[in-house]
Amino acid sequence: MTMTTAEADKILSGNFAPWVLELGLTVEAVGEDRAVLRLPWSDRLAREGGGLSGQALMAAADTATVIAVSAARGGFVPMTTVQQSTSFQRAVSGADVLIEAVLTKLGRRMAFADITLSDAASGALAARASTVYAILG
């Protein structure tokens, strides 16, 4: 059975630090090997010059991976980031960001994902990330 977005939102609200929750992330879609989250535009997250900060984008990519792994496993289990690499391609200004995390490999103890971060208004690719997670539970 595929996890619902409401179930994924509960994982989000119940398992992340308050500062991550303050990003305002919401789960747009989940599948057997993926999750799509929305990072709403906020002036609080903008850098000088008006672009969304890289730190917010990296946190969103990291969070989307947790939701994708949880969806694939049928629920949340403790996990931790082992590696994350992010390449920024263009600034996002004044628009929400859609973050899609797709699992490329899910083992018993490790998970690997590729993440795309796109300007929700234009569809333009803003960044790509890859993550590796250790599954602890």
Side-chain angles (χ1 to χ4, degrees), residues 92-117:
V92 175
S93 183
D96 292 356
V97 176
L98 293 176
I99 305 99
E100 182 174 24
V102 178
L103 300 179
T104 58
K105 182 176 181 186
L106 177 62
R108 288 183 345 175
R109 294 287 175 216
M110 300 293 287
F112 300 79
D114 287 333
I115 303 99
T116 56
L117 298 96

Side-chain angles (χ1 to χ4, degrees), residues 58-79:
M58 290 177 72
D62 193 58
T63 303
T65 302
V66 173
I67 300 301
V69 171
S70 296
R73 299 214 22 159
F76 179 80
V77 295
M79 59 187 96

Side-chain angles (χ1 to χ4, degrees), residues 37-63:
L37 277 62
R38 178 179 293 268
L39 175 62
W41 170 260
S42 169
D43 288 332
R44 290 182 55 220
L45 300 177
R47 301 183 50 225
E48 182 179 330
L52 198 60
S53 76
Q55 294 93 332
L57 293 170
M58 290 177 72
D62 193 58
T63 303

